[in-house]
Amino acid sequence: MGCQKVNLRVEVKDTTRRKGDQVQVFLAEEVKGTGAATSEADLSAKKKNPSSANGQYTFKRDGGKGKDKNTYNVQETKTGYVVYASLPMSAALLTEGQVLSLDFRITDEHAAGKTATIVWNDISNQQPDKPANRGKLKLGSVLKQTKVTYGKPVIDAKKDNVWKKAASIETDVWVVGNSGATATAQLLWDEKYLYVLADVKDPLRSKLSSNAHEQDSIEIFIDPSKDQTTFYQEDDAQYRVNFDNEASFGGNARKESFKSATRLTSGGYTVEVAIPLDSVRAEGQRWIGFDLQVNDDGAGMASEAVCPSGVIHQVILIKILPVLAVCY
């Protein structure tokens, strides 16, 4: 079935940079058994190819250069460093519901060459030879992907020429109800903002409900650190705009820098917004989280909701580069 890749982001808090600092990842097909040592044949294969034998990968803090750039790279942060890795794996193993064995081992070099080690699951620290001791990773549904290009539109709810090169996403997964308003959205970015232009199909516009989230509107969720938690952290934000350009916010929204405009159309309405990304750029992060949701008031009746991901707070991953790779 060919080979696909597992993408990892490992953030390490370690303000003292030394040559021995490294991250080791152990990722392979789940091993079912008692945790006995691997066979002599397996150990022999491991010695011949130690970089990935038995699912073992080593990423050095001062590495990620030269030919290693095809596998991983390292970015320094104020509090330590982040490893971005792309690990090859059989496509047959990368299916929804598949369980893989997984563990992480972080090595921190101290003064005089001494080291400290911390792991995720196997406290016996025998991940290479006893895969059964590792933790388990259950694969979820596949994230959708698109590209976000660089551009700076005028926020007026009109489709400027710059939007012509922007890819589109559709809200086609129902999270509440099974029919109602939907949207086609496009995304752009620059050094300060993420731009979203959403064309909403909703001929019966309404904001009769006193609750902002039950009015005809779109909601955008931003997760700059891409932690994908089930609760709002300090950097997470929610932006909501109804068809009358009335905005409301949640989480750590940057209200003072947020921009929006709306325009009524024959089949619904258009919303154009500029969401501040200053904090993301300042930290030099390569990925943030994003999701888009459409709310349908239904003329004061129960609200319907639809989004691209199928889970209201599911994230879209956006790679902050001249062309952004987006998963949602």
Side-chain angles (χ1 to χ4, degrees):
M1 295 179 63
C3 182
Q4 295 184 359
K5 294 183 178 181
V6 175
N7 297 312
L8 298 177
R9 176 184 183 275
V10 184
E11 181 175 355
V12 181
K13 295 186 183 301
D14 178 8
T15 56
T16 304
R17 180 175 180 175
R18 289 191 170 91
K19 187 176 181 180
D21 295 344
Q22 66 180 26
V23 172
Q24 288 179 293
V25 178
F26 304 87
L27 178 67
E29 184 176 4
E30 181 186 16
V31 176
K32 298 180 181 179
T34 60
T38 53
S39 67
E40 290 296 328
D42 289 337
L43 291 175
S44 176
K46 173 177 174 292
K47 291 178 181 178
K48 293 179 181 179
N49 186 19
S51 62
S52 60
N54 221 359
Q56 176 179 344
Y57 299 86
T58 299
F59 307 117
K60 296 184 178 297
R61 184 172 185 172
D62 61 357
K65 304 177 182 66
K67 64 180 182 179
D68 289 338
K69 291 178 66 176
N70 296 327
T71 304
Y72 78 103
N73 64 73
V74 180
Q75 290 188 357
E76 291 292 323
T77 68
K78 294 179 180 179
T79 58
Y81 63 102
V82 179
V83 174
Y84 296 91
S86 185
L87 311 182
M89 181 162 284
S90 169
L93 296 177
L94 298 182
T95 58
E96 184 174 352
Q98 177 74 44
V99 178
L100 305 176
S101 69
L102 174 68
D103 213 343
F104 298 92
R105 182 163 64 192
I106 313 300
T107 300
D108 179 19
E109 182 178 347
H110 294 177
K114 296 182 179 180
T115 60
T117 301
I118 187 171
V119 302
W120 176 53
N121 192 75
D122 183 6
I123 59 175
S124 69
N125 201 23
Q126 300 183 70
Q127 298 91 339
D129 300 327
K130 294 187 177 181
N133 288 2
R134 304 172 189 171
K136 295 182 179 181
L137 171 68
K138 185 174 183 179
L139 303 182
S141 57
V142 178
L143 296 177
K144 301 177 183 177
Q145 297 186 5
T146 188
K147 292 182 179 179
V148 181
T149 53
Y150 186 95
K152 186 175 182 179
V154 176
I155 305 302
D156 56 5
K158 297 179 181 179
K159 194 168 185 176
D160 308 332
N161 288 334
V162 69
W163 286 109
K164 291 182 178 180
K165 60 182 179 181
S168 299
I169 61 173
E170 304 283 343
T171 57
D172 54 7
V173 179
W174 294 95
V175 293
V176 179
N178 54 21
S179 64
T182 60
T184 298
Q186 294 176 279
L187 292 85
L188 293 169
W189 75 282
D190 65 15
E191 290 78 7
K192 292 186 177 181
Y193 290 96
L194 172 68
Y195 302 97
V196 181
L197 178 69
D199 181 21
V200 182
K201 302 299 182 185
D202 185 4
L204 185 60
R205 296 177 291 267
S206 172
K207 56 176 185 177
L208 293 178
S209 175
S210 59
N211 298 318
H213 68 277
E214 293 180 344
Q215 299 174 2
D216 287 347
S217 58
I218 68 166
E219 295 189 42
I220 297 171
F221 303 88
I222 299 292
D223 177 14
S225 63
K226 201 191 69 59
D227 289 331
Q228 299 179 251
T229 59
T230 57
F231 56 91
Y232 278 104
Q233 293 182 309
E234 292 183 357
D235 65 334
D236 299 332
Q238 175 186 6
Y239 299 88
R240 183 189 299 110
V241 181
N242 70 12
F243 65 92
D244 259 348
N245 198 28
E246 296 169 332
S248 50
F249 308 92
N252 190 35
R254 301 273 303 280
K255 303 178 185 180
E256 70 284 354
S257 303
F258 177 74
K259 302 176 184 179
S260 67
T262 62
R263 178 174 59 88
L264 302 184
T265 65
S266 58
Y269 58 98
T270 298
V271 180
E272 188 173 24
V273 302
I275 299 170
L277 285 185
D278 300 23
S279 60
V280 177
R281 295 301 300 173
E283 296 175 9
Q285 294 183 354
R286 298 184 59 186
W287 301 88
I288 67 172
F290 172 94
D291 205 359
L292 170 70
Q293 175 180 309
V294 179
N295 298 318
D296 187 0
D297 182 17
M301 298 182 290
S303 180
E304 312 282 352
V306 62
C307 65
S309 65
V311 181
I312 292 178
H313 295 278
Q314 178 72 31
V315 299
I316 297 179
L317 311 181
I318 302 182
K319 195 172 184 180
I320 306 299
L321 291 172
V323 176
L324 307 186
V326 182
C327 307
Y328 55 97

